[in-house]
Amino acid sequence: MKFVYPRGLRKALTFSYDDGQIFDRRLAELLRSHGMKGTFHLNTGCLEQGERGSCYIAEGELKRVYEGHEIACHGVQHRNPTTITKHQLLLELQEDRKTLEKLTGEMVQGMSYAFGNYSPEVIDVAKTVGIKYSRTVNSTHNFFPPADFMQWHPTCHHDEGLLELGDCFLDAAEYYELPLMYVWGHSFEFGRSGDWTAIEAFVEKMAGKEDIWYASNMEICNYISAVRQQEFSADGMIMYNPTAVSVWVNTGEGLTEAKPGEAKYIGEH
Ligand SMILES: [Zn+2]
């Protein structure tokens, strides 16, 4: 048997964009209009300036701009996590979470490291304030899910052969179980130059595929974390799902969904 994504989908595609500048408006709409989901990592200390007409998204437009996407932390002031004290970092992250949750009315448990910098101490603080995953800037150029969601290395930055990697992903080799393509960047990299060609071409290429789950970072983290908590009978024929998330497997004979709390016969293999 093999694990598959929700409803039997074989692959997942996700995006992660940092800093919350006004060019997110166009990027969020581009993804939304193609049935895709992204995660936007925001600095709440910058959002306030948005009210005064800066290059950042304003608090008042937050829900509208990011509708259908995930909003996540990036630190209140975008301070370098490995330079400041543990206490300062705790406030950077805790206050960012609190403000974002107040503005959205939703739980915010995702993050990306400001400047991509982190350490074991930084991870410890982030977990302490309830962060469940955090993205780095270290590209893997492959489609394996992360070994550790607190060091979630993306597949690529959008400047790193995006279209070619997209082709590879569409043809992802069979040995990939739960293949994931994770693209990151900043919308100002398109916005300031005015050149949106590459990301638009990528989104067009990847849209509307029947075997791709278009999901936010948090949805993928929740799903794969649930997969890793599945329990099996000694002969491997029964799978018990102790989590709050439905988990799907392909047994070769068909698709099986184990709902939360359910034990399912998954057959010989
Ligand atoms: Zn940043």
Side-chain angles (χ1 to χ4, degrees), residues 28-246:
E29 178 54 30
L30 175 70
L31 297 178
R32 195 165 39 231
S33 63
H34 287 78
M36 297 178 173
K37 280 194 186 183
T39 295
F40 292 86
H41 300 274
L42 309 180
N43 308 106
T44 47
C46 297
L47 291 178
E48 291 161 30
Q49 295 160 23
E51 302 283 9
R52 298 194 286 273
S54 76
C55 56
Y56 293 96
I57 294 288
E59 281 184 7
E61 62 176 330
L62 200 78
K63 280 182 100 160
R64 183 165 31 89
V65 168
Y66 299 113
E67 193 187 346
H69 299 299
E70 178 195 356
I71 289 175
C73 296
H74 196 43
V76 176
Q77 299 288 351
H78 204 287
R79 298 188 69 184
N80 181 21
T82 51
T83 300
I84 58 181
T85 68
K86 266 190 167 183
H87 181 221
Q88 288 176 309
L89 178 62
L90 187 138
L91 294 174
E92 264 286 281
L93 306 183
Q94 172 82 340
E95 294 307 310
D96 210 33
R97 262 198 89 187
K98 271 163 90 173
T99 306
L100 290 173
E101 289 183 344
K102 201 167 151 195
L103 290 171
T104 60
E106 290 173 17
M107 286 265 278
V108 173
Q109 296 172 290
M111 181 172 134
S112 63
Y113 296 111
F115 305 105
N117 289 332
Y118 66 100
S119 66
E121 290 73 25
V122 170
I123 291 174
D124 188 42
V125 172
K127 284 165 94 168
T128 300
V129 302
I131 296 295
K132 288 177 74 178
Y133 75 81
S134 192
R135 198 211 70 234
T136 75
V137 295
N138 309 326
S139 300
T140 63
H141 296 156
N142 68 40
F143 309 121
F144 292 110
D148 175 1
F149 277 101
M150 291 308 292
Q151 301 176 68
W152 194 346
H153 306 312
T155 304
C156 65
H157 179 273
H158 59 240
D159 270 348
E160 299 171 312
L162 187 60
L163 290 170
E164 294 75 10
L165 274 165
D167 282 330
C168 292
F169 184 64
L170 292 177
D171 275 334
E174 279 303 314
Y175 58 72
Y176 277 112
E177 190 164 359
L178 299 173
L180 166 67
M181 181 161 187
Y182 187 133
V183 180
W184 83 280
H186 307 89
S187 63
F188 62 72
E189 292 164 307
F190 314 119
R192 287 180 193 164
S193 67
D195 184 1
W196 291 73
T197 323
I199 190 72
E200 284 174 353
F202 179 75
V203 165
E204 290 286 336
K205 179 195 282 284
M206 307 304 283
K209 305 294 182 201
E210 287 185 347
D211 64 344
I212 296 183
W213 184 32
Y214 303 101
S216 69
N217 292 189
M218 193 73 244
E219 287 171 325
I220 289 168
C221 173
N222 281 339
Y223 188 74
I224 293 176
S225 300
V227 162
R228 290 175 177 165
Q229 291 176 67
Q230 296 305 296
E231 298 172 12
F232 292 87
S233 59
D235 63 5
M237 290 191 199
I238 296 170
M239 183 176 90
Y240 168 60
N241 179 2
T243 75
V245 176
S246 262

